[in-house]
Amino acid sequence: MKISFKHISYLLLLILGLNMTLTSCTSDLEVTPKDDDEFLSEDFFNDPASYKQVLAKLYAGLYVGGNDGDGSPDISGIGGDFSSYLRLLFVMQEVPTDEAIIAWADGSLPTMNTQRWAPNNEFLYGIYSRAFYEISIANEFLRQTSDDKLASRGVDASLKSDIATFRAEARFLRAFSYVQLMDLFGNVPITTENDPVGFYYPEQKTRAEVFEFVKNELTDLDSSLKESKTNEYGRIDKTAAKFLLAQIYLNSKVYTGVEKNNETAQLCSEIITSSGYSFANVPYRYLFSADNNRNGAQSEIIFPIVGDGNAIRATGGGMSFILHASIGGSMDAADQGMNGGWWGIRTRKEFVQTFPDVTATADVRGTFYTDGQNLDIAEVGVFTDGYAVKKFTNVNSDGTAAQRNDIPDTDFPMFRLSDVYLMYAEATVRGAASGNLTTAKDYINQIRSRANNTAISESDLTLDFILAERGRELFWECHRRTDLIRFGKFTGSDKIWQWKGGVKDGVATDSYRDLMPIPATAIQANPTLKQNTGY
């Protein structure tokens, strides 16, 4: 679904007939309701497009920053481009790990490279606020589409049926944001459409309580989301909910102290065998090309964050950030389908060394650009220190140009079927009763065959191998920090990489940094919030 999100933030305000401002003390929107009749006629509320545009705002919020991605803030104190959800998620999940390092010295950004962040880090405040902003919009959409509201507006039965699907998607997107908050910050408040609006202090919940809330939401959504592969491309179906549930089950030991490997394997098996999504038997690069919504890769992409150079005018958010920032040095931006590079993101030596060789002839997933780049990172701020990455491209898979070269068409593959294969294998190795090692090996070999890598045997299926294979298959797809924490290798001394801990050759970091600090600004606004240990 290539939706035009032009002026979508402003449409949201019109459609709901509300004045909205974010207040971090409530972790929800401070809303002043107005009489619907002041703004819009009953006929307007019977227009399916009105409700769908609000839903589009929720989807657009994963990509653009600010109002319409134009740089004007929709969250007080955070510039539009810097508040792009996908951009911030990339910074959180990739930059503190062995998979990425960024040259820029903006504000507190360098501390993300070194795991030396503090509660006053504006990028942590950005992701915290962006996630709660999405939750706030979802909550208000759900309030405005209750049975009572729809009945009072005389909404007809067919539109009510469509709105029921929209509500399920809004609940999924709310759950997705709660998963990010639970993963990054642990103990956070929960607000829903049943909570009051306006100024109040919502109760901070434990990480285990947030887990239980998300688990219940995703389980319940299996009865209300569209059947697998029956929704428009880019929108959520039942398989996306199963994927997210499997993902939190795989990380349950981290979140709650209780393993759920068997539940993980069972869900993954359901997705693989009966969802209708299929492993894309296309070259690996097709998955990250400008036409990955139609070149065969779409059979594998369960949840894309949709990009479109013409319809989604986000100059510094989402994939525009990932592509521009990964181009520099002697790279020709035109080869990547872009109009220039920002000399920012590269990868680190230790990650490169998980591949058979850096020329990518033994594994095509090693999309490293080495000409003029040093494997060793002597200076964090020098783009040519560290190999550059060409994984994502704004060129169609047949070599033709995308729609434009300043804003990419490339969709970001948030959930992929190959990740389901890897989750199944990991849960099986971790002891899932329903798992089968031979089946797990076959799934892994299917992935490796597409990558032009050698087949493995069952004896190769160790946790260390699976972590490395997850990196090779999924790097720069916003999984690495969570993966390293689950394997006990994000902090501490079990896995060291350059500039971990702020030292060139890397040092152990304190385990409390497995959780990010609750942003100081959020605590100032809501003094009932308790800071995470160590900060």
Side-chain angles (χ1 to χ4, degrees), residues 51 54-56 58-59 134-143 145 162-178 193 213 217-218 221 224-225 231 235-236:
Y51 295 93
V54 185
L55 182 68
L58 276 167
Y59 281 104
E134 282 284 294
I135 289 165
S136 298
I137 295 172
N139 284 343
E140 192 56 36
F141 180 64
L142 292 168
R143 289 186 189 106
T145 54
D162 288 341
I163 291 171
T165 299
F166 297 165
R167 285 174 59 85
E169 292 175 61
R171 287 173 63 195
F172 171 89
L173 292 168
R174 180 176 65 181
F176 176 83
S177 281
Y178 272 121
E193 71 275 19
F213 170 78
E217 281 286 280
L218 294 173
L221 284 173
S224 52
L225 282 168
N231 214 345
R235 288 174 58 190
I236 294 305

Side-chain angles (χ1 to χ4, degrees), residues 391 416 419 422 470-477 479:
K391 177 170 181 171
R416 285 201 286 129
D419 192 356
L422 288 159
R470 285 189 63 82
R472 287 185 287 264
E473 177 67 18
L474 302 170
F475 76 98
W476 282 27
E477 296 179 51
H479 300 291

Side-chain angles (χ1 to χ4, degrees), residues 192-248:
T192 73
E193 71 275 19
N194 299 316
D195 289 308
V197 295
F199 188 93
Y200 80 104
Y201 295 138
E203 182 184 355
Q204 187 176 19
K205 301 294 185 180
T206 66
R207 207 180 200 185
E209 287 174 321
V210 180
F211 176 94
E212 191 68 16
F213 170 78
V214 172
K215 182 199 78 172
N216 291 339
E217 281 286 280
L218 294 173
T219 302
D220 186 63
L221 284 173
D222 190 59
S223 63
S224 52
L225 282 168
K226 283 210 168 218
E227 294 294 333
S228 185
K229 295 186 74 66
T230 64
N231 214 345
E232 293 176 273
Y233 175 82
R235 288 174 58 190
I236 294 305
D237 60 24
K238 290 184 178 185
T239 298
K242 286 183 179 180
F243 182 105
L244 188 56
L245 187 57
Q247 195 175 62
I248 68 166

Side-chain angles (χ1 to χ4, degrees), residues 122-384:
E122 66 270 36
F123 298 93
L124 294 176
Y125 173 60
I127 189 68
Y128 187 91
S129 298
R130 175 54 66 192
F132 272 121
Y133 182 75
E134 282 284 294
I135 289 165
S136 298
I137 295 172
N139 284 343
E140 192 56 36
F141 180 64
L142 292 168
R143 289 186 189 106
Q144 293 295 323
T145 54
S146 67
D147 288 342
D148 288 346
K149 284 280 188 182
L150 297 181
S152 71
R153 294 170 185 156
V155 172
D156 63 45
S158 63
L159 179 52
K160 279 184 180 180
S161 177
D162 288 341
I163 291 171
T165 299
F166 297 165
R167 285 174 59 85
E169 292 175 61
R171 287 173 63 195
F172 171 89
L173 292 168
R174 180 176 65 181
F176 176 83
S177 281
Y178 272 121
V179 169
Q180 309 318 311
L181 290 164
M182 171 178 65
D183 184 75
L184 291 165
F185 301 102
N187 305 333
V188 296
I190 296 175
T191 61
T192 73
E193 71 275 19
N194 299 316
D195 289 308
V197 295
F199 188 93
Y200 80 104
Y201 295 138
E203 182 184 355
Q204 187 176 19
K205 301 294 185 180
T206 66
R207 207 180 200 185
E209 287 174 321
V210 180
F211 176 94
E212 191 68 16
F213 170 78
V214 172
K215 182 199 78 172
N216 291 339
E217 281 286 280
L218 294 173
T219 302
D220 186 63
L221 284 173
D222 190 59
S223 63
S224 52
L225 282 168
K226 283 210 168 218
E227 294 294 333
S228 185
K229 295 186 74 66
T230 64
N231 214 345
E232 293 176 273
Y233 175 82
R235 288 174 58 190
I236 294 305
D237 60 24
K238 290 184 178 185
T239 298
K242 286 183 179 180
F243 182 105
L244 188 56
L245 187 57
Q247 195 175 62
I248 68 166
Y249 280 160
L250 188 63
N251 289 283
S252 179
K253 183 68 179 294
V254 174
Y255 299 150
T256 71
V258 178
E259 291 184 347
K260 290 188 177 293
N261 294 314
N262 195 50
E263 292 89 335
T264 303
Q266 288 174 333
L267 275 172
C268 289
S269 183
E270 286 179 32
I271 293 170
I272 293 166
T273 60
S274 59
S275 71
Y277 288 90
S278 59
F279 187 79
N281 289 310
V282 296
Y284 182 72
R285 64 181 179 84
Y286 281 31
L287 293 160
F288 315 101
S289 298
D291 57 347
N292 59 351
N293 65 313
R294 61 185 187 276
N295 64 11
Q298 73 272 19
S299 69
E300 179 174 323
I301 300 175
I302 296 167
F303 176 25
I305 296 181
V306 174
D308 187 300
N310 285 334
I312 305 175
R313 305 301 298 279
T315 57
M319 284 303 305
S320 184
F321 159 73
I322 293 173
L323 268 162
H324 276 118
S326 61
I327 297 169
S330 65
M331 297 175 74
D332 185 349
D335 288 345
Q336 296 296 96
M338 300 300 290
N339 63 346
W342 296 347
W343 296 57
I345 318 164
R346 305 91 73 203
T347 192
R348 309 197 201 207
K349 175 175 69 174
E350 293 77 10
F351 179 67
V352 173
Q353 291 171 341
T354 67
F355 285 80
D357 66 78
V358 298
T359 64
T361 56
D363 192 319
V364 300
R365 299 172 297 186
T367 50
F368 306 118
Y369 182 87
T370 63
D371 188 14
Q373 302 289 131
N374 302 310
L375 179 62
D376 197 59
I377 304 175
E379 298 289 340
V380 173
V382 176
F383 181 85
T384 51

Side-chain angles (χ1 to χ4, degrees), residues 335-475:
D335 288 345
Q336 296 296 96
M338 300 300 290
N339 63 346
W342 296 347
W343 296 57
I345 318 164
R346 305 91 73 203
T347 192
R348 309 197 201 207
K349 175 175 69 174
E350 293 77 10
F351 179 67
V352 173
Q353 291 171 341
T354 67
F355 285 80
D357 66 78
V358 298
T359 64
T361 56
D363 192 319
V364 300
R365 299 172 297 186
T367 50
F368 306 118
Y369 182 87
T370 63
D371 188 14
Q373 302 289 131
N374 302 310
L375 179 62
D376 197 59
I377 304 175
E379 298 289 340
V380 173
V382 176
F383 181 85
T384 51
D385 278 3
Y387 283 173
V389 171
K390 300 196 299 179
K391 177 170 181 171
F392 293 98
T393 179
N394 186 38
V395 178
N396 293 322
S397 51
D398 64 1
T400 58
Q403 295 181 96
R404 53 194 300 149
N405 64 4
D406 56 341
I407 303 172
D409 289 340
T410 317
D411 297 344
F412 185 84
M414 183 58 69
F415 297 169
R416 285 201 286 129
L417 189 66
S418 60
D419 192 356
V420 182
Y421 285 1
L422 288 159
M423 287 195 288
Y424 176 90
E426 182 182 336
T428 299
V429 172
R430 290 185 184 276
S434 62
N436 181 284
L437 282 173
T438 300
T439 302
K441 176 207 63 172
D442 291 343
Y443 289 153
I444 296 292
N445 281 336
Q446 195 170 353
I447 292 171
R448 288 172 66 83
S449 175
R450 180 173 65 185
N452 195 34
N453 209 330
T454 56
I456 63 164
S457 62
E458 285 184 31
S459 62
D460 295 314
L461 278 179
T462 65
L463 288 178
D464 283 345
F465 168 83
I466 289 172
L467 177 61
E469 191 67 19
R470 285 189 63 82
R472 287 185 287 264
E473 177 67 18
L474 302 170
F475 76 98

